């Protein structure tokens, strides 16, 4: 089941736009918000906001699969 969830996560991430995909992959690569901000040119606050929205979007997709 864990592998199935990882496969779904990979699929959902691949469906994101390129910028959101880059943000979430940096986050999953254990980069800090400050590092992500430096890489992307966003403010740390904006990184946090965008990542929160992306995580929420991914959670919604998972909840639709499990319902």
């Amino acid at each position: 089941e864990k592998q199935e969830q990882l496969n779904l996560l990979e699929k959902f991430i691949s469906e994101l736009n390129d910028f959101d995909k880059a943000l979430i992959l940096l986050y999953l690569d254990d980069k800090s918000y400050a590092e992500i901000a430096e890489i992307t040119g966003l403010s740390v606050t904006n990184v946090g906001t965008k990542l929160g929205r992306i995580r929420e979007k991914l959670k919604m997709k998972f909840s639709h699969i499990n319902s």
Side-chain angles (χ1 to χ4, degrees):
E1 178 161 322
K2 188 171 185 142
Q3 186 60 47
E4 184 179 321
Q5 287 186 333
L6 284 172
N7 290 342
L8 275 175
L9 179 60
E10 203 172 276
K11 176 186 181 303
F12 294 154
I13 288 173
S14 75
E15 295 170 355
L16 294 171
N17 68 50
D18 288 343
F19 191 77
D20 287 354
K21 193 183 310 179
L23 283 175
I24 199 69
L25 290 176
L26 287 167
Y27 174 76
L28 291 172
D29 199 29
D30 288 329
K31 300 286 186 212
S32 70
Y33 283 15
E35 289 173 305
I36 296 170
E38 188 175 319
I39 291 166
T40 61
L42 298 174
S43 69
V44 174
T45 304
N46 205 350
V47 168
T49 301
K50 287 185 176 295
L51 282 172
R53 289 181 182 150
I54 295 166
R55 286 192 305 264
E56 198 56 42
K57 191 184 298 186
L58 293 173
K59 280 185 206 172
M60 292 289 285
K61 287 183 179 235
F62 271 104
S63 70
H64 283 92
I65 294 292
N66 294 325
S67 59

